Amino acid sequence: MCGDRRFDPYSLETRYAPLDELGRALWLPAITNTEGRLASRLAAVSAWYKRLLAGELAMVAGDPWPASDILGALSCALDRLDLPALTRGHPEISEQVIRSLLWHIDRLVVAIPRLGRDGAVAAVVEAFVADWDAQRSDMKEVLRVFESLDGIATFARWSELRGVLEDDSWQAVLSAHEAIATLPELAALVRRIGRARPVEEFEVLPGAVQRSEAESTQWVRRLADARLAGAARETEGVRRSGDLNRLLPSESMLYRARTGSRHDLTRRRLRRLFAARLHEQALLTYEQRETWVEPEWVLETIHTLQERPVLRRRLESGPMIVCIDTSASMAGGPEAVAKAVVLEAMRTAARERRACILLSFSGPGELSEMELGADVDSVKAVAQFLSRSFHGGTDIVEPFERALSLIEDAGWRNADLVIASDGEFGPTPALLERACAVRRQTGMRVQGILIGDRETLGLRKTCDEIYWVRNWRRFGLRHGQEAPPVHDRNLTGIYFPNAGAMPGQARQAVQALGTRSTRDSKPGR
């Protein structure tokens, strides 16, 4: 046998190699299809799947299957529907598109005897377009809100998701999406919640101060004595000098000794002694200091103790616990903003595969807990929550205790807490002490979102940071104005500075004030 025409025993298996690349959802309908040859079908289906995943048109000229008339008609239909925009990076949607193509192509064997070749191809293309036109619109609607179809557009439960899209509750989802689109800073704040990984941004470590001693040379103002002639003087002691103006009487007696014949020799000796002391600047004179004092600038070395805050890398992208106040005081504009926070938390959790739990609370015993994820159940639950109206009282103790219990658990240890409210609540001292203990143990951060006009004491004592949604009025229908009636959210802190102090801090402030008053009332002050 010639070497060029030897039989290759692996040639039969090579034609069916695409079976190893395709899952059962694709190779089973490809095998059972009645149009064309099996090997050509498998090679074409494998190429379609790779192109759709890459966001490209599935069918191109030159594909081994199907026939050119069917290939051209279906290729135009795919281009008109813009399906590659939906299948890019979504294996499940890509598989469903190919399964639908195979099913409609398989209908040709039934339609050709009745409609002819051209009529059957046109009917198959029309049926495929009608089947995917509605689904494409629904998928784009989901993409517009959630930015991804991973885990949400599952075709096993596609009918349930379409039921949500056709329900009135979906309008509440769209309203929340429009609201968060006008609040980019609030959306960015929600995305930063969590403590799973560090980022390049730095933040101040609360309560930590780094002290260091610094040495610097500075010009300082000092008071110095100025020696001026004729200025008032003050005698401080005796010193030796040749200043005759300050001469002591005992020294002047040496020069003014008594005269007479028998005292001439003594007088001459004393005068010689006086002259010698004067020459040697050894006369006893008064030590006097001028009382004139004037300031002057001198260069000195200054030692100072500096305190600097300790910086650390900011932590983000961890689990989120979102507490939403659903009391009656939140009705209107605050309710719309709070619902937008819930939707953004769910979108962030679905996009970044993060754990998120929603705690909605109102009065005592009215606490609802809901996990938010990238699945149909979460979409249905959030749609139902967003379609409800807020009513009831306000009790922060139960949801806060539940959130602290979750954070103490190992699965939620890196979680941050978000409280969206108008601040009309008051935490108990025991709850605040427990929150401080959890902060020390886990590093938990409590982010407050103030949807109101005044930063209340309850919100200040509960949260580490507070973000003020200043223009919340424009989301409510019952308010005639958009601008807030106050110039600052911290009205309580401005007009009552010690209102937020704890009992021990207030006692210390009063004692310090009393001590200062006593000291200032001393004589000479």
Side-chain angles (χ1 to χ4, degrees):
M1 181 180 292
C2 288
D4 295 338
R5 301 183 62 184
R6 280 184 300 179
F7 174 72
D8 183 7
Y10 298 103
S11 61
L12 297 177
E13 295 186 4
T14 304
R15 294 181 298 173
Y16 305 106
L19 287 173
D20 297 331
E21 303 174 358
L22 302 174
R24 179 182 174 85
L26 291 182
W27 63 253
L28 183 60
I31 290 177
T32 58
N33 195 280
T34 58
E35 180 71 20
R37 295 181 176 273
L38 177 59
S40 301
R41 286 200 303 272
L42 292 176
V45 169
S46 178
W48 294 353
Y49 182 69
K50 295 176 182 178
R51 292 169 189 158
L52 287 177
L53 275 181
E56 302 173 358
L57 198 60
M59 297 179 174
V60 296
D63 282 347
W65 184 84
S68 59
D69 55 344
I70 305 174
L71 187 67
L74 287 176
S75 178
C76 293
L78 289 171
D79 190 17
R80 186 166 69 252
L81 292 172
D82 194 21
L83 291 182
L86 299 176
T87 61
R88 182 184 294 109
H90 296 91
E92 188 174 358
I93 301 178
S94 301
E95 290 180 357
Q96 186 64 18
V97 171
I98 295 176
R99 284 167 60 89
S100 179
L101 286 171
L102 292 173
W103 187 86
H104 284 91
I105 293 174
D106 198 31
R107 302 297 297 172
L108 285 172
V109 69
V110 180
I112 288 177
R114 181 168 50 89
L115 302 174
R117 178 75 179 183
D118 295 339
V121 171
V124 165
V125 173
E126 183 180 354
F128 176 79
V129 171
D131 188 15
W132 275 94
D133 190 38
Q135 293 192 51
R136 175 181 62 90
S137 301
D138 292 340
M139 287 184 181
K140 286 190 173 182
E141 187 77 4
V142 175
L143 272 175
R144 184 162 68 96
V145 176
F146 294 101
E147 302 178 2
S148 175
L149 298 174
D150 291 342
I152 297 178
T154 56
F155 285 93
R157 305 183 61 182
W158 180 247
S159 59
E160 297 182 47
L161 184 59
R162 295 191 69 177
V164 176
L165 299 179
E166 296 174 358
D167 192 73
D168 293 339
S169 61
W170 184 252
Q171 297 302 319
V173 176
L174 296 180
S175 299
H177 179 256
E178 293 176 0
I180 198 63
T182 60
L183 298 170
E185 294 182 358
L186 181 59
L189 175 69
V190 174
R191 290 192 291 268
R192 289 196 301 266
I193 299 300
R195 294 174 285 108
R197 60 179 178 84
V199 296
E200 295 299 327
E201 182 181 350
F202 287 88
E203 65 177 359
V204 177
L205 184 62
V209 178
Q210 183 179 7
R211 295 179 175 87
S212 61
E213 184 176 354
E215 179 178 321
S216 60
T217 303
Q218 300 179 5
W219 287 96
V220 294
R221 194 167 181 260
R222 294 284 185 260
L223 295 178
D225 294 337
R227 297 187 178 276
L228 299 177
R233 299 176 179 181
E234 180 181 354
T235 302
E236 293 182 339
V238 178
R239 68 184 181 93
R240 292 186 179 276
S241 71
D243 190 356
L244 298 178
N245 294 326
R246 303 178 184 181
L247 191 66
L248 264 66
S250 61
E251 295 290 342
S252 63
M253 291 299 294
L254 296 176
Y255 185 78
R256 297 177 61 84
R258 290 183 300 173
T259 61
S261 58
R262 62 191 183 114
H263 297 294
D264 288 342
L265 180 59
T266 303
R267 182 171 57 84
R268 286 194 299 268
R269 289 177 179 177
L270 291 176
R271 286 192 174 187
R272 289 172 185 171
L273 178 61
F274 180 86
R277 288 185 178 181
L278 178 62
H279 178 72
E280 295 175 356
Q281 301 286 314
L283 292 172
L284 292 176
T285 60
Y286 290 109
E287 174 70 22
Q288 293 179 336
R289 179 177 63 87
E290 291 81 355
T291 59
W292 182 269
V293 179
E294 68 177 7
E296 65 178 0
W297 291 93
V298 295
L299 193 63
E300 292 185 0
T301 301
I302 307 297
H303 297 271
T304 57
L305 186 62
Q306 296 181 348
E307 294 185 354
R308 294 180 299 175
V310 179
L311 300 180
R312 67 177 179 185
R313 289 189 180 274
R314 185 177 181 87
L315 300 176
E316 293 184 0
S317 301
M320 297 179 290
I321 301 177
V322 183
C323 289
I324 300 297
D325 184 2
T326 60
S327 60
S329 60
M330 291 283 289
E335 176 181 330
V337 176
K339 290 179 178 179
V341 171
V342 173
L343 180 63
E344 184 60 29
M346 178 186 177
R347 295 172 61 200
T348 303
R351 180 174 57 252
E352 301 179 6
R353 295 294 186 267
R354 295 160 59 180
C356 180
I357 191 168
L358 171 64
L359 301 177
S360 57
F361 65 94
S362 54
E366 298 178 350
L367 174 64
S368 178
E369 185 173 329
M370 181 194 315
E371 287 197 25
L372 306 180
D375 52 31
V376 178
D377 291 333
S378 295
V379 175
K380 294 169 62 177
V382 167
Q384 291 298 324
F385 172 80
L386 298 181
S387 62
R388 297 199 302 263
S389 59
F390 290 0
H391 60 276
T394 306
D395 180 23
I396 191 62
V397 176
E398 187 175 359
F400 207 169
E401 287 183 343
R402 174 56 180 160
L404 295 178
S405 300
L406 288 172
I407 294 176
E408 290 174 338
D409 190 10
W412 294 87
R413 186 164 292 270
N414 291 330
D416 278 346
L417 177 59
V418 181
I419 300 178
S421 172
D422 56 359
E424 300 296 333
F425 57 77
T428 62
L431 181 62
L432 294 177
E433 291 179 2
R434 184 184 177 189
C436 292
V438 174
R439 282 188 179 94
R440 290 191 298 266
Q441 295 172 3
T442 65
M444 173 196 69
R445 297 177 301 196
V446 181
Q447 175 65 58
I449 299 177
L450 174 62
I451 316 174
D453 294 329
R454 184 171 60 90
E455 187 179 285
T456 62
L457 295 180
L459 204 61
R460 292 181 62 186
K461 292 180 179 180
T462 306
C463 303
D464 299 318
E465 298 178 1
I466 299 177
Y467 176 80
W468 183 25
V469 183
R470 185 181 179 90
N471 56 348
W472 59 269
R473 277 180 170 76
R474 63 190 179 93
F475 298 100
L477 300 178
R478 64 177 183 177
H479 299 287
Q481 62 176 3
E482 294 185 5
V486 297
H487 66 283
D488 195 304
R489 68 180 185 186
N490 190 19
L491 294 181
T492 302
I494 293 175
Y495 296 104
F496 304 96
N498 294 327
M502 301 298 289
Q505 297 174 344
R507 192 181 305 110
Q508 294 175 2
V510 172
Q511 293 175 355
L513 181 60
T515 303
R516 191 183 310 115
S517 301
T518 303
R519 185 176 64 249
D520 294 343
S521 62
K522 290 182 179 180
R525 293 284 180 180

